[in-house]
Every structure is written in structure tokens, then in C-alpha cells.
């Protein structure tokens, strides 16, 4: 039998110690070493706001949206106003963008809320707020033709602003006119009259029966000079029958043509012409309003509150087609008026009942032409090339300060309903 050498107790203990140490070392060198001091990984989903939340105040009609990268937006995303109302918006089919679908208010704070889910399965909040711009002023506009109205073949579309439009080109680009059948026409900027005014006129008279839609996308639009549009404006109207008054001064008559055929031929008296203010202007006038009874004052001619009947206004300088019993004896033979076209009471009523807003009255043969100085609607004094040149887009706007109603024009006082 072979004997074994005795084991040294100290060596055994040393060996045991080495083994314990090796286990400890192995534990410290595993894959989790040092993980206790690292930050958790950032969520992958990234959000981009348009406009940036820390950027300039946007226009209320600017694009307002939030986009997600490396993730998708959840259906709980929304934008709310200060009263908690949710603004209308659309989530894209791939759920990577949410876009506001209605105009916002001026100078208002809006708040984003909701969540997005990253490709790593982690959720991130959609949060933040912005405030829309507060303009220094807002411009309102009035359109001359109301919805459903039927007008004459010479009627322009008129937009009258309650202040000056500095950026006329930008505003004009926001104006559209759609017609059935298609009609060639153009916008033109006329003189300031306590605010800017822009007219749309067809190249030639409207075709009878034309359907017209005018759309002015002005809300939120920068009009220049710190002013922005207060509201959008639309108008849907139609063109009626083709009625034209042919008024040849030397004939001492007016002839009313309806759809190419003579409707009536009426003896009349034109302006006497002794003084410039008494000359009936030559050119295409446009019917703008009519009264079955009114009282006219013309200090320059020396009369005040004279009762007139069946009056159809054709210019803001005081020109009317109306009844005047005082000139019946010369109607058809001489021109003696202060510039108006006088008819007998029966003939005036007959014509009155046929006239509508926008009918052209073509006066010819007098020594003074209708001009800007006569005010209101003088659109047809311009040839087509000149009219196009008054567009802020197609031409160069000429600054003018001719008012819609000339100073010193005869005034009318409409009596209260009886």
C-alpha cells in the first residue's frame, strides 16, 4: 500500500481562499457590470411642431400641425383653445401627422395634448402651447352684390374696405371669381374713399343668365401696414336679362333695348349744358339705385328738397333718370335740365319698373365725358388694356384719392315710409 503525503492545513485554506476570490472576480466581470450608474435609453419617437412652439406668433390661417418620426401619433392628440374647445383637425392615415383643419383666432393661446407611440414601444406626450398673432388692426370689407341677387349686364363686383390696403397684390391674389359660362374679366383698384376699393369687371358686358361666385379669402391675410383681414367674404349671384338704355343727347329721347329688341322709346330732356355742372356726361353709366319718391337738393343750382318721382340713379355726381313735370313741354325737343335725364311722370314710372342694379345707360353726344370725378361706378370709361393695368397683379396701381361720391354733388333725402 502506498501512503499519501499529509495535507498541509494552511495550503488547503489558501486554496479555498483562491476559489472564493475567483468566484467574486467572476461575479464582477459579468455582462451587467457597471449598469447601476447608466441612464435609461431615451424614447425613440420624435415630435416636430409647426409652427415651432418657441417661434414667432403664427397667423391664424398658417399651417398648424404636429409630426411624429420613429413612431406614430395616438388618436388622443388634439389642440384646444382657452375655453377647452377642441379645434377641428385631421390625423393622417399613417398616423405620422395631425393637421388643424380650421382657422384659429387672433391673439389666442392654443394648447397641444395627447400622446405618441415610438417604434421602441415607449409613449411620449404631445404637449406645448403657442399664441397666434395679434394684428395692429383688422380690415373689414363689404361687397356690393348680395347672395341670390340678379343684376344687370354692366354690374361690376365691388369690394369696399374700411381702411387702406397696403399690400394690394397679396390681397388681390386672395380674390377669385368663378363664372358659368366662363367670362373674361379682371380686378382693378380704384381711388381711396375712406378705405381701399377694388372692382372686378368683365371685358365686355356680362352674358345674360351668367352664374357668378366671388370668393375673398381675406381672414388672417396680411394686408400690409400691420393690418389683417377680419373675415372672408363670398357672393353668389346671377346676371339677368340684357337691358341697355341708349341715350343720344341730340335725339332728345332715350331708347330702352331689351335682349336686342326695342322695349320703349321715350321723349326726354338732357342737361342744358350752359354750365359744366349742367352737362349730362357722355359714357357708360351704371344704374345703382332707384326711388319711387325722393327729395333732391342742389345748392349750386339753387333748389332744396324738391320732390321728385320715379328716380333711377346712374351716377354719384347727381345724375338720375326721373320724372319732372316742369320740363314736360320741352321733353323730346330741347335740353334744359341741370344734368339729369327728365321724363314725363308716366314714362318715368314705365322705365323705373324695368330698371335693375347694373343696367348700362350709354349716354353720347355731350361735350363732357364721364370720368373718375363723377364718382361711384365709372368702370366702363376705361378700355380693356387700361383696366387690366389697374390690377395690382397684372399692372401697376396708380394712387388716387377720387372719392366714390364727389364733393358738392346734389343730395337726396329719401322720405320715411308712410
Amino acid at each position: 500500500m502506498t501512503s499519501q503525503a499529509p495535507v498541509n492545513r494552511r495550503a488547503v485554506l489558501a486554496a479555498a481562499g483562491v476559489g472564493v476570490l475567483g468566484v467574486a472576480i467572476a461575479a464582477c466581470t459579468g455582462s451587467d457590470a457597471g449598469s447601476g450608474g447608466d441612464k435609461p435609453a431615451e424614447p425613440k419617437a420624435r415630435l416636430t411642431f409647426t409652427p415651432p412652439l418657441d417661434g414667432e406668433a403664427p397667423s391664424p390661417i398658417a399651417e398648424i400641425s404636429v409630426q411624429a418620426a420613429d413612431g406614430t401619433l395616438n388618436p388622443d392628440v388634439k389642440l384646444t383653445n382657452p375655453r377647452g374647445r377642441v379645434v377641428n383637425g385631421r390625423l393622417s392615415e399613417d398616423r405620422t401627422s395631425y393637421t388643424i383643419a380650421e382657422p384659429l383666432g387672433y391673439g389666442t393661446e392654443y394648447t397641444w395634448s395627447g400622446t405618441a407611440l415610438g417604434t421602441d414601444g415607449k409613449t411620449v406626450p404631445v404637449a406645448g402651447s403657442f399664441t397666434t398673432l395679434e394684428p395692429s388692426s383688422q380690415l373689414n370689407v363689404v361687397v356690393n352684390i348680395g347672395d341670390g341677387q340678379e343684376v344687370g349686364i354692366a354690374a361690376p363686383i365691388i369690394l369696399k374696405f374700411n381702411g387702406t390696403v397696403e399690400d394690394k397684390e397679396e390681397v388681390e391674389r386672395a380674390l377669385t371669381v368663378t363664372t358659368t359660362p366662363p367670362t373674361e374679366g379682371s380686378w382693378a383698384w380704384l381711388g381711396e374713399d375712406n378705405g381701399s376699393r377694388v372692382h372686378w369687371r368683365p371685358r365686355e358686358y356680362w352674358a345674360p343668365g351668367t352664374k357668378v361666385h366671388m370668393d375673398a379669402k381675406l381672414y388672417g391675410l396680411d394686408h400690409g401696414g400691420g393690418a389683417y383681414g377680419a373675415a372672408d367674404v363670398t357672393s353668389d349671384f346671377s346676371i339677368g336679362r340684357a337691358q341697355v338704355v341708349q341715350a343720344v343727347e341730340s335725339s332728345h329721347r332715350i331708347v330702352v333695348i331689351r335682349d336686342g329688341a326695342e322695349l320703349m322709346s321715350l321723349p326726354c330732356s338732357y342737361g342744358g349744358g350752359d354750365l359744366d355742372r349742367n352737362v349730362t356726361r357722355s359714357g357708360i353709366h351704371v344704374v345703382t339705385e332707384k326711388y319711387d319718391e325722393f327729395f333732391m337738393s342742389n345748392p349750386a343750382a339753387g333748389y332744396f328738397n324738391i320732390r321728385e318721382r320715379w328716380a333711377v340713379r346712374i351716377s354719384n355726381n347727381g345724375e338720375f333718370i326721373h320724372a319732372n313735370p316742369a320740363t314736360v313741354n320741352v321733353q323730346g325737343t330741347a335740353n334744359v335740365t341741370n344734368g339729369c335725364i327728365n321724363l314725363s311722370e308716366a314714362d318715368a314710372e314705365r322705365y323705373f319698373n324695368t330698371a335693375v342694379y347694373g343696367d348700362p345707360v350709354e349716354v353720347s353726344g355731350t361735350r363732357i365725358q364721364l370720368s373718375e370725378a363723377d364718382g361711384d361706378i365709372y368702370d366702363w370709361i376705361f378700355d380693356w388694356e387700361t383696366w387690366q393695368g389697374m390690377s395690382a397683379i397684372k399692372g401697376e396701381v396708380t394712387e388716387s384719392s377720387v372719392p366714390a361720391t364727389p364733393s358738392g354733388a346734389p343730395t337726396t333725402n329719401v322720405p320715411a315710409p308712410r
Side-chain angles (χ1 to χ4, degrees), residues 205 244-255 268-271 278-287 312-315 317 319-321 335 339-341 351 359-370 380-381:
Y205 290 154
V244 180
V245 174
Q246 296 177 346
V248 180
E249 184 254 6
S250 59
S251 71
H252 310 300
R253 304 184 75 85
I254 62 169
V255 180
C268 70
S269 180
Y270 293 88
N278 291 336
V279 176
T280 306
R281 294 338 192 210
S282 286
I284 299 175
H285 301 62
V286 178
V287 170
V312 177
R313 185 191 292 274
I314 61 173
S315 178
N317 66 3
E319 290 174 305
F320 286 79
I321 299 174
N335 297 324
C340 291
I341 299 174
Y351 166 65
D359 284 344
V361 177
E362 301 173 346
V363 179
S364 61
T366 69
R367 63 182 176 84
I368 299 178
Q369 295 294 310
L370 185 72
W380 296 96
I381 70 173

Side-chain angles (χ1 to χ4, degrees), residues 80 94 125 164 176 191 230 262 280 283 342 352 393-394 403 408:
T80 55
D94 62 4
T164 298
T176 58
E262 183 176 307
T280 306
N342 286 180
F352 177 95
I393 297 173
K394 300 177 183 177

Side-chain angles (χ1 to χ4, degrees), residues 55-133:
E56 293 184 358
S59 163
I61 60 171
E63 179 187 342
I64 309 293
S65 63
V66 58
Q67 299 85 31
D70 295 326
T72 56
L73 297 168
N74 289 324
D76 61 352
V77 172
K78 60 186 176 182
L79 184 71
T80 55
N81 70 10
R83 297 181 299 278
R85 187 183 78 84
V86 177
V87 180
N88 291 331
R90 292 189 298 266
L91 184 63
S92 63
E93 289 187 8
D94 62 4
R95 293 173 51 188
T96 60
S97 67
Y98 183 86
T99 304
I100 296 307
E102 67 173 303
L104 303 182
Y106 284 121
T108 303
E109 183 180 33
Y110 292 87
T111 302
W112 285 108
S113 62
T115 56
L117 181 66
T119 55
D120 57 358
K122 295 181 179 180
T123 299
V124 297
V126 177
S129 62
F130 64 91
T131 300
T132 54
L133 67 82

Side-chain angles (χ1 to χ4, degrees), residues 312-343:
V312 177
R313 185 191 292 274
I314 61 173
S315 178
N316 261 19
N317 66 3
E319 290 174 305
F320 286 79
I321 299 174
H322 68 89
N324 189 347
T327 65
V328 167
N329 291 338
V330 297
Q331 290 171 14
T333 59
N335 297 324
V336 300
T337 81
N338 294 114
C340 291
I341 299 174
N342 286 180
L343 301 171

Side-chain angles (χ1 to χ4, degrees), residues 213-248:
H213 172 73
M214 188 282 300
D215 194 1
K217 295 289 189 182
L218 299 175
Y219 175 73
L221 185 70
D222 187 352
H223 289 28
Y228 282 73
D232 293 340
V233 177
T234 63
S235 180
D236 290 276
F237 62 95
S238 61
I239 308 302
R241 77 290 180 271
Q243 178 164 303
V244 180
V245 174
Q246 296 177 346
V248 180

Side-chain angles (χ1 to χ4, degrees), residues 3-298:
S3 60
Q4 295 180 346
V7 179
N8 186 292
R9 179 179 176 80
R10 184 174 295 175
V12 172
L13 293 175
V18 171
V20 173
L21 179 60
V23 173
I25 292 173
C28 290
T29 57
S31 61
D32 290 334
S35 63
D38 291 345
K39 294 181 180 179
E42 292 289 332
K44 284 190 174 183
R46 291 176 289 110
L47 302 177
T48 302
F49 293 93
T50 302
L53 299 181
D54 57 354
E56 293 184 358
S59 163
I61 60 171
E63 179 187 342
I64 309 293
S65 63
V66 58
Q67 299 85 31
D70 295 326
T72 56
L73 297 168
N74 289 324
D76 61 352
V77 172
K78 60 186 176 182
L79 184 71
T80 55
N81 70 10
R83 297 181 299 278
R85 187 183 78 84
V86 177
V87 180
N88 291 331
R90 292 189 298 266
L91 184 63
S92 63
E93 289 187 8
D94 62 4
R95 293 173 51 188
T96 60
S97 67
Y98 183 86
T99 304
I100 296 307
E102 67 173 303
L104 303 182
Y106 284 121
T108 303
E109 183 180 33
Y110 292 87
T111 302
W112 285 108
S113 62
T115 56
L117 181 66
T119 55
D120 57 358
K122 295 181 179 180
T123 299
V124 297
V126 177
S129 62
F130 64 91
T131 300
T132 54
L133 67 82
E134 181 69 72
S136 58
S137 63
Q138 296 182 41
L139 295 186
N140 283 287
V141 66
V142 176
V143 63
N144 65 319
I145 304 175
D147 287 340
Q149 190 172 348
E150 188 174 88
V151 299
I153 59 175
I157 303 171
I158 302 174
L159 298 182
K160 175 67 173 64
F161 296 83
N162 66 340
T164 298
V165 174
E166 298 289 350
D167 195 342
K168 291 180 171 61
E169 181 174 351
E170 185 70 12
V171 168
E172 189 175 328
R173 292 188 186 282
L175 311 177
T176 58
V177 176
T178 306
T179 67
T180 305
T183 303
E184 183 180 5
S186 177
W187 292 100
W189 294 85
L190 277 64
E192 293 282 313
D193 183 45
N194 295 316
S196 298
R197 50 187 172 138
V198 61
H199 294 206
W200 194 95
R201 194 202 89 184
R203 180 171 185 168
E204 307 292 343
Y205 290 154
W206 295 99
T210 300
K211 305 298 182 184
V212 185
H213 172 73
M214 188 282 300
D215 194 1
K217 295 289 189 182
L218 299 175
Y219 175 73
L221 185 70
D222 187 352
H223 289 28
Y228 282 73
D232 293 340
V233 177
T234 63
S235 180
D236 290 276
F237 62 95
S238 61
I239 308 302
R241 77 290 180 271
Q243 178 164 303
V244 180
V245 174
Q246 296 177 346
V248 180
E249 184 254 6
S250 59
S251 71
H252 310 300
R253 304 184 75 85
I254 62 169
V255 180
V256 182
I257 306 297
R258 170 78 66 84
D259 296 324
E262 183 176 307
L263 183 65
M264 63 187 80
S265 178
L266 307 174
C268 70
S269 180
Y270 293 88
D274 54 332
L275 301 173
D276 286 354
R277 61 177 171 78
N278 291 336
V279 176
T280 306
R281 294 338 192 210
S282 286
I284 299 175
H285 301 62
V286 178
V287 170
T288 56
E289 56 190 359
K290 61 182 187 178
Y291 307 101
D292 60 1
E293 180 182 36
F294 73 103
F295 293 82
M296 177 175 282
S297 296
N298 189 345

